[in-house]
Amino acid sequence: MNRDFLLAIALSFLVLLASRYFLEPHLQPEPSAPTADADVEPASPAQEPAPVPVAVLPGMPRERSEPGVPRTRKAVNEQEYSVETDLYRLSVSNRGAVVKEWVLKRYLDANGEPLNLIDTADSPQGVFPLALTVDSAPDAAAILRTALFSSESPENIDLSRGGASTGRLRLQFAEGGVEVVKTLAFRSGSYEVEVHCEVSVDGRPVDYFLLWQGGFGDATLKNTWAERQLFYRDQEAIERMDSGDLASKQEMEGRFRFLGVEDHYFAAVFLPVVPSGLQQIQMALDSGPSAEDAEAASLRAGVYSAASDGRFKLFVGPKDSEVLPEELRELINYGWFAFLCKPLFVGLKWIYDAVGNYGVSIILLTIVINAALFPLRYKSVTASQKMQKIQPRIKAIQEKYKKLKPTDPKRQQMNSEVMALYKEHGVNPLGGCLPLLLQMPFLFAFYSLLNVAIELRQAPFFAWIQDLSAPDPTYVLPVLMVGSMMLTQKLTPMPSADPLQAKMMLFMPLIFGFMMATQSSGLVLYWFTSNLVNIVQQLAMNRFGPGAAAKQEAGGGKNAAKVEQTKPETKAVTRRSKRRKVRSAR
C-alpha cells in the first residue's frame, strides 16, 4: 500500500511537469501593455528575473530587504493620483512621489478658476513639493528625484461627497538599495495633511529632509507689494526671510514650532507631531536640478527627520483666523498694533454680517472710529487755533533775536520770552501733537487690518470695484482721496506761518496719492472715508468751536472800527446836505 501511494505521487509529479512543459506555452494570454501601477519591472535578458513581490495585507509588517540584498519595487510608467476633499484637490505624481497641483476649491484666481497654490510658472523644471532628499547619501537623493513609485492605493480618492471622511495614499519604491515608503493621510473638513515617510539605504534607516519646493501662492495677485517669504517659528517669535536673505542654503538646529512658505494670503506650513518640535530645518533658493533653470529660482523649505521618526503635519491653505490651527494664528501679521487689530476685526465682521458688503462695512466702521476719536481731534484743533493766534508775536520775538549766533547766551532769553507768551495765553506747545499721536495707533491698526484680511480678497464693493484687495483699476478712488486731503488741509488751521512749510504740506496729498494708487481699494476707501468725516468735523468746529467765537469777535472789532472811521465823514455829509436845503429854500 505504501508502494502504491509513493508510485501515485511520483506519477502525479510527472504529469504536472509534463503539462507545464507541453501546455503552458499555449495557455499564456496575449501580452498587455504594462500599467503604471505594476510592482515589478520586467527583467532584461541580461538580468536575473526579479522576484515576485508578496502582497502586504493590512496589519502585516512590511517586508524589509536584508543588507546587501537589494529589492526592486517600482512602477513602469508615470502616473498621477487624484485626491479630493470638500476643501482642496491634489494631483500626486508617482515620479518622485511629489504633488503637482494643490487646488483650493473655495478660492478663485483672477480667471475665476479654483486657485492652484503650486505656481508652476515660478517653479524650476521638475521641482515640486513633498520631495525627499538624503544629504548623507547623494546617490540615493539622485535616484529619488526620478524614482517611479508604485502604489496599491486607488487612483482616485474622493472625500468630497459625504462618504468616507478619511483617506490614505501609500507610495512605495525600492531599487539600487534605496527603499522608500511615503504615506499621505487626508481628512475632510481640514486643510491639514499627515505625512509619514520611511527611508532606508542598503537596508538601514537613514535621515532625510522633506521639502516644500517650487513656486507657491496666488500668481494672479495684483498687489505688487505682496511677496513670498520663508518663515520659521522658534521658541521666541516668527522670523520671516525673503529671497534676499537666502544667498546660500541655511540649516539651523533647535526646537522649532513650524516652518513654511507664504504669500500675502496663503501658507504651506510643516508642523511637528512630537512635542519636541522640529529639530532641524533647511531654507534655500532652489534653481532646480538643471543648470538651465538657474534663473528660475524659487524658495525651498525643508524639515529634517531622524530615522526613528518620520511623521509631520502639513497645513496648506488660507491665512484665515477661522481656518488656521491654533498654533498658526500668529501667521496673520497685524504688525505692532495686533492688540487693536483683533477687536477692530471683530467689529468689521459684525457689521458685515448685518450689511453683507465689506465696502459698506469699511465705511461704517471708519465713521465709528473717527467719531470715537473726535474728542482728541477737537483738542488738537483747539490747540492749533491758539497757537495760530499768537504766531505773529512768536515771530516778532524770533525776529528780535535772529541776528544772534546759536551759541549766544542771549538765545536763552528768547526761549524764556516765548515760554512766557505760551503761559500768558494758556498754550501748550505739544497740545496739537499729543492728541494726534494718540489717534495714530487706531488709524495704523485699521490700516494693518485691511492690509492682511483675507476676507477682502475678491470681495466686491460696487460698480467697477469688484475686489477690495486689489488696486482701483480706474484710479478714481485715489484721485478722490487726494482731493479730500487737500480740502482737509485748507479747512484745518495751520499753527505755523512758514511759507516753505505751507508749500511742503501742499505736496503731501500728491505724495500720498502716488503711494495709495497701488494699494488695495479697501485701504483707499478707508482713507477717503476718514478724510470726509474729518472735513465734516472740521466744518462743524470752524462754525461752532472756540475758533468761531474768536473770528466773530475779530470781525465785530473790525466792523466797529470801520464805523468809527466813517463817523466824521458822515457828519460832514450831513452838514453839506443841510446847507443845500437852506439855499434851495431861499
Side-chain angles (χ1 to χ4, degrees), residues 158-369:
D158 192 352
L159 307 178
S160 63
R161 300 183 181 179
S165 60
T166 60
R168 189 177 300 270
L169 176 60
R170 190 168 186 264
L171 300 164
Q172 305 173 73
F173 173 81
E175 186 182 46
V178 180
E179 189 171 357
V180 178
V181 178
K182 181 185 291 185
T183 304
L184 307 177
F186 311 94
R187 186 172 70 254
S188 61
S190 173
Y191 285 99
E192 289 187 24
V193 176
E194 294 183 9
V195 185
H196 180 208
C197 301
E198 299 175 58
V199 182
S200 62
V201 177
D202 296 331
R204 292 184 296 273
V206 296
D207 305 338
Y208 62 88
F209 275 98
L210 178 65
L211 306 175
W212 184 286
Q213 56 185 2
F216 174 81
D218 183 3
T220 65
L221 189 66
K222 297 176 183 176
N223 289 335
T224 56
W225 38 264
E227 60 181 347
R228 301 171 186 180
Q229 295 177 310
L230 291 175
F231 61 89
Y232 64 90
R233 174 67 156 90
D234 55 18
Q235 298 301 312
E236 296 180 358
I238 291 181
E239 295 291 339
R240 287 180 162 88
M241 308 180 73
D242 55 25
S243 57
D245 302 321
L246 298 169
S248 59
K249 183 173 71 173
Q250 298 186 22
E251 291 187 3
M252 293 184 287
E253 296 182 357
R255 295 183 61 183
F256 302 97
R257 297 186 183 180
F258 50 77
L259 166 74
V261 58
E262 67 177 352
D263 75 344
H264 197 67
Y265 293 119
F266 302 94
V269 194
F270 289 109
L271 298 105
V273 174
V274 295
S276 58
L278 305 174
Q279 303 299 315
Q280 189 173 347
I281 61 175
Q282 179 187 105
M283 295 174 290
L285 282 176
D286 199 334
S287 58
S290 172
E292 298 177 357
D293 301 323
E295 295 183 358
S298 61
L299 298 174
R300 181 176 75 186
V303 286
Y304 172 82
S305 173
S308 59
D309 180 31
R311 297 181 182 273
F312 301 98
K313 290 189 297 182
L314 176 62
F315 172 88
V316 182
K319 291 192 287 186
D320 186 340
S321 59
E322 296 182 358
V323 170
L324 285 168
E326 184 67 30
E327 61 268 35
L328 297 182
R329 298 283 174 84
E330 56 186 326
L331 284 182
I332 304 176
N333 186 16
Y334 290 120
W336 292 351
F337 302 102
F339 65 97
L340 288 176
C341 286
K342 293 177 181 178
L344 288 176
F345 178 72
V346 172
L348 183 66
K349 290 280 288 183
W350 184 80
I351 296 175
Y352 173 77
D353 291 339
V355 300
N357 185 299
Y358 271 109
V360 177
S361 303
I362 291 172
I363 292 174
L364 295 177
L365 186 57
T366 304
I367 294 173
V368 171
I369 291 174

Side-chain angles (χ1 to χ4, degrees), residues 83 85-91 99-121 191 212 215-222 228 262-268 316-319 454 457-458 467 469:
V83 179
T85 74
D86 54 332
L87 299 177
Y88 56 83
R89 183 176 69 251
L90 269 64
S91 178
V99 181
K100 287 192 171 181
E101 284 187 348
W102 203 304
V103 179
L104 301 185
K105 298 167 65 175
R106 299 186 179 182
Y107 296 88
L108 304 178
D109 60 18
N111 301 319
E113 299 293 332
L115 176 63
N116 181 15
L117 285 180
I118 299 178
D119 180 12
T120 54
Y191 285 99
W212 184 286
F216 174 81
D218 183 3
T220 65
L221 189 66
K222 297 176 183 176
R228 301 171 186 180
E262 67 177 352
D263 75 344
H264 197 67
Y265 293 119
F266 302 94
V316 182
K319 291 192 287 186
I454 194 173
R457 183 183 181 273
Q458 297 182 347
D467 185 356
S469 69

Side-chain angles (χ1 to χ4, degrees), residues 397-415 417:
I397 295 174
Q398 292 172 344
E399 286 289 331
K400 179 180 175 182
Y401 294 94
K402 71 176 184 179
K403 294 182 180 180
L404 298 178
K405 295 181 179 180
T407 56
D408 195 313
K410 291 184 179 180
R411 281 274 181 178
Q412 184 65 32
Q413 185 177 351
M414 181 190 72
N415 296 332
E417 291 184 21

Side-chain angles (χ1 to χ4, degrees), residues 494-507:
M494 292 289 294
S496 173
D498 187 359
L500 180 60
Q501 185 177 355
K503 290 180 180 180
M504 290 179 61
M505 293 301 294
L506 288 176
F507 280 103

